[in-house]
Amino acid sequence: MTTAATVFVLNGPNLNLLGTREPQVYGSATLADVQALCAEACAQHGLTLDFRQSNHEGELVDWIHEAGRAHAAGTLAGVVLNAGAYTHTSVALHDAIKGTGITLVELHISNVHAREAFRHHSYIAPVAKAVIAGFGVRGYALALAGLAALAQP
Ligand code: DQA
C-alpha cells in the first residue's frame, strides 16, 4: 500500500539569506540549518522530506502543482510553505493551492502580525489548513508535527 508520507517544505524569496538577513528578526540559523531541522523532524514522524527554496513566484507555483500531483497519487502528507513576501502579494499562489486541494501549513519565522501593516494580510491563509508564525525556525518542526498528526487515520 502506498502511504501519504512525503512532505514538501517550500521556501520563497530571500529565505536563502537566512543567517545573515535581519538576524534580529529571523535569527542566526541558515537555510541549511532549517533543512537539517526539518530532516530530523521528518525522521521522528516517519515522513519523507522534500525541501526547496526559490526566489521565483512561478517556480513556487510549479512546485505547488507538483505537490498536487503527489496528493492525487496518494503519496503526499502535506506541504509547509513559507512564501516570504509572496504571502502578502500572490494571487497566483492562492489559486495554485486552491486548485490542487493539498493540505498546506502557512509558516512564518517571525510574527508577521506584530510587524508592518503590509505583512498582516495573507493570500495564503484562506487556502491553508493551519498557520504558524512567530516561533522562529522551530516553527518548521511544529508545522511538520502538525502535518504528521493530521495524516494519522
Ligand atoms: C516571513 C515574513 C514575510 O513577511 C517576509 O517577507 C519574509 C519572511 C517570515 O518567515 O517571517 O520573507 O515569511
Side-chain angles (χ1 to χ4, degrees), residues 75-145:
T75 60
L76 186 80
V79 174
V80 177
L81 175 64
N82 185 348
Y86 290 141
T87 305
H88 318 299
T89 62
S90 182
V91 177
L93 278 172
H94 172 107
D95 285 350
I97 296 160
K98 199 172 189 175
T100 57
I102 56 176
T103 301
L104 181 139
V105 179
E106 173 182 344
L107 185 285
H108 300 287
I109 296 166
S110 64
N111 177 359
V112 285
H113 299 287
R115 299 180 62 195
E116 303 95 320
F118 67 83
R119 296 185 203 277
H120 297 177
H121 179 263
S122 169
Y123 281 98
I124 310 300
V127 288
K129 179 76 178 174
V131 180
I132 292 179
F135 284 103
V137 297
R138 287 183 296 270
Y140 285 83
L142 298 174
L144 290 164

Side-chain angles (χ1 to χ4, degrees), residues 9-21 26 29-35 51-55 60 80-87 107-110 115 137 140:
V9 177
L10 304 180
N11 296 280
N14 301 310
L15 290 161
N16 54 313
L17 300 180
L18 277 180
T20 55
R21 171 194 186 199
Y26 299 112
T30 65
L31 192 65
D33 295 332
V34 174
Q35 181 165 3
F51 187 94
R52 307 180 190 186
Q53 187 274 332
S54 177
N55 293 320
L60 291 163
V80 177
L81 175 64
N82 185 348
Y86 290 141
T87 305
L107 185 285
H108 300 287
I109 296 166
S110 64
R115 299 180 62 195
V137 297
Y140 285 83

